[in-house]
Each structure stands twice: as structure tokens, then as C-alpha cells.
Amino acid sequence: MIALLVLPLLLPFALPPLARRALDRLAPAVALRAITGSAVVLAGCSLAALGAFVLTGLFKLPFFAALGELIRPLHTASDRYVLPLAAVSVGGLAVCAWTLARTVLRQVRAFRAARTEAGRGPTAGDLCVVDSPCADAYALPGRPNRIVVTTGMLRSLDGSEREALFAHERAHNAGGHHYYLAAAELVAHCHPALRGVRDVIRLAVERAADEAAASAVGDRRLTARAIARAALAGQGGGVERPAFVPGAASGPVPQRVQALLAAPRVRRRAGVWGAVLLLVACAGLSCAASATGMIDFHHRVEVAQGEAER
């Protein structure tokens, strides 16, 4: 049982390189969905494994054994392994819960502040202009979705570049990219290895919006120039916003610009399927190990309760 439940804690370390490979081999929008889905599955399985270790350690204690109606000792590996694992799992879950709660509160406050700031400026359709010398632009989710741009950013771009920038931000809202970014923030608090995946998801979000904007304006070089100029103009700072709100200069801009200026790649079917299968295999193996370990733990509890003989 312990070996099965340790596996979901180790597999997340394999996801960051697999995610980078997938983003390189797949279309950005496809890679975004595949990577985020795999990260969510691995995060859930790792939390389930930690929870199983905590319950195993608790059932070793007389009070909780009586509470669980165990009439026999719970048969597991030696207490030399179980109890330290349970203690470490308690600490890991506590840190996860504490940091996640702080992050959620901070993000909610920042989101409310961003919505309030956006409500003060003039609007034209989904476009909201904020009077600020700082050059910034971002896609603000909500009801309704908004594209927020500062006057400083508008002065930094010409007309065609503005259209490319607006197309980029509209692609964020149309694609629901804030959900992917929120998921990336959550999984990063569930396992240390998934913090690297968070950066890959952020890049995939921006690459997907870049490609959508280039398709909308029909000019990849114009889109690349707009992104580069927006990033240079926004180096002085911008409006504080939540981590799940994508901005114009988010992610490694040189890498994004290089991808736009390069000729569209012909993606080989073998490479595409290989990248997808690796992600699916990693997530599937974690699910299988976690589920099998939990089933085995449940069976051991039933034996300890005497139900297996009834």
C-alpha cells in the first residue's frame, strides 16, 4: 500500500519536462488543455495519497482506532515508516492549506480592486480605458468580460498594433484562459514539483492568445511587433491584478515573439501523439496507483473492523 501511495507523490516531478515537450510539439491551445488537465489530475492524486497516509497514521492511535470501530490493529507496514510518513503528510497538507488560503484571499482582493478600477473608466463594448501613465493591458474576466487598457499603453502603440493587442486580450476571454491560470495557481500549492508546470501553463496561455490574435488580424509580424512594443512599454509597472488575469506582457516575451516570427510548423502526427500519450500515461499511472492504494487501504480498514469475515 505504501509503495502505491508514494508513486503519486513522485510522478509530479516528471510533469514539468513532459509539459515543456508537449508545448513544443502541440498547438498551444491543445497543449494548454492537455497540460492543465494532467496537472490537475496529478495534484488531486498527490493530495489523496497524503490523506491516506494521514488516516493510516491516525488509525494507529488508540483514540482514532476506537473512533473508527477497529477491533483489530490495522495491518500496514512497520510503524517506523507509517508514523513518520503520516507526520510529514500532516505537515504537507497543513502548509498546502495555509498557503492556498492566503493566496485565494490575496487574489480575491486583487480581483475586486481590478474590477473596481475598470468600472471607473470609460467603456466601449468590452473595452475599458483606465487613465494611467503606466502602460498595461489585460483581460479581466467577470460579468461582463472586459479588456482593460491604460492610456499609457494606448499612447505606446499605433492603430494597427492596438488592434492586434485587443485581439490578443479578446482571445484570452474567449478561451476562458483565466480558468487555466487559476488551476495552475491551485496545483502549484498542492505539490512543489507542479510550480514548474505553472510557468508552462502561463506560457501556453499566452502562446494560444498570440496565435489567435495573429489569425484574427491576419499578420503574424504585426502581432509580434505589438506584443514586443507592449512589453517594452510596460516595463515600468502596471495595475496590480490577480495571477489568473493574463496581461499583455505576461510570460517570456522574446520566446513568444520568436514563435510568431517563425514560419508555422508542420507538426508530425507521431510527435503530436507521443506528447499527448506521455501526459496521459503520467496522469493515468498516478490515478491507477492512487486508486489502487486507496482501495487497498479501505480493505485493510474493513479487516481491522472485522467486516471482512461477515
Side-chain angles (χ1 to χ4, degrees):
M1 181 188 75
I2 289 182
L4 287 172
L5 293 176
V6 167
L7 191 58
L9 300 177
L10 298 178
L11 283 172
F13 289 99
L15 189 59
L18 292 179
R20 288 189 289 269
R21 176 186 176 91
L23 183 55
D24 182 60
R25 301 295 176 89
L26 303 175
V30 177
L32 175 61
R33 291 190 290 269
I35 294 169
T36 306
S38 300
V40 169
V41 169
L42 288 174
C45 291
S46 65
L47 290 179
L50 290 176
F53 283 134
V54 171
L55 289 176
T56 303
L58 289 177
F59 282 148
K60 291 289 185 177
L61 302 177
F63 174 78
F64 290 99
L67 196 64
E69 299 180 351
L70 304 187
I71 61 177
R72 299 175 182 175
L74 183 64
H75 179 66
T76 61
S78 172
D79 290 354
R80 291 181 299 176
Y81 304 105
V82 172
L83 296 180
L85 280 173
V88 171
S89 299
V90 169
L93 289 174
V95 171
C96 173
W98 171 249
T99 58
L100 183 58
R102 290 182 59 189
T103 298
V104 168
L105 291 175
R106 185 170 62 250
Q107 299 297 319
V108 168
R109 286 195 297 266
F111 178 69
R112 288 178 176 174
R115 291 292 299 187
T116 301
E117 182 70 19
R120 295 173 181 170
T123 60
D126 62 345
L127 181 64
C128 176
V129 179
V130 175
D131 185 14
S132 173
C134 298
D136 198 10
Y138 52 93
L140 187 62
R143 295 183 180 180
N145 292 332
R146 295 290 189 192
I147 298 171
V148 182
V149 60
T150 63
T151 53
M153 179 64 77
L154 292 177
R155 287 192 293 266
S156 301
L157 306 178
D158 61 30
S160 59
E161 291 168 347
R162 293 174 188 172
E163 290 303 318
L165 181 66
F166 297 158
H168 174 93
E169 302 303 340
R170 288 192 176 98
H172 282 313
N173 283 332
H177 291 167
H178 52 283
Y179 293 116
Y180 296 98
L181 293 174
E185 289 296 318
L186 291 177
V187 301
H189 290 281
C190 296
H191 196 288
L194 297 179
R195 295 172 186 169
V197 180
R198 174 176 56 186
D199 296 333
V200 180
I201 292 175
R202 287 175 176 172
L203 176 57
V205 161
E206 296 304 325
R207 288 281 294 111
D210 291 343
E211 293 296 329
S215 177
V217 301
D219 192 334
R220 299 179 67 85
R221 296 187 67 86
L222 170 62
T223 306
R225 187 172 72 247
I227 291 170
R229 292 192 63 182
L232 289 174
Q235 287 183 346
V239 179
E240 183 181 359
R241 57 180 182 270
F244 61 85
V245 172
S250 301
V253 175
Q255 187 175 343
R256 293 168 52 197
V257 170
Q258 183 180 8
L260 283 170
L261 294 178
R265 297 177 54 185
V266 177
R267 305 182 188 278
R268 296 182 179 180
R269 183 174 298 181
V272 170
W273 280 107
V276 172
L277 288 176
L278 284 173
L279 290 175
V280 171
C282 186
L285 183 58
S286 182
C287 279
S290 178
T292 304
M294 294 293 289
I295 291 172
D296 181 62
F297 170 73
H298 183 263
H299 176 70
R300 293 171 187 267
V301 171
E302 287 184 333
V303 171
Q305 290 174 334
E307 295 182 3
E309 297 178 353
R310 295 176 185 176

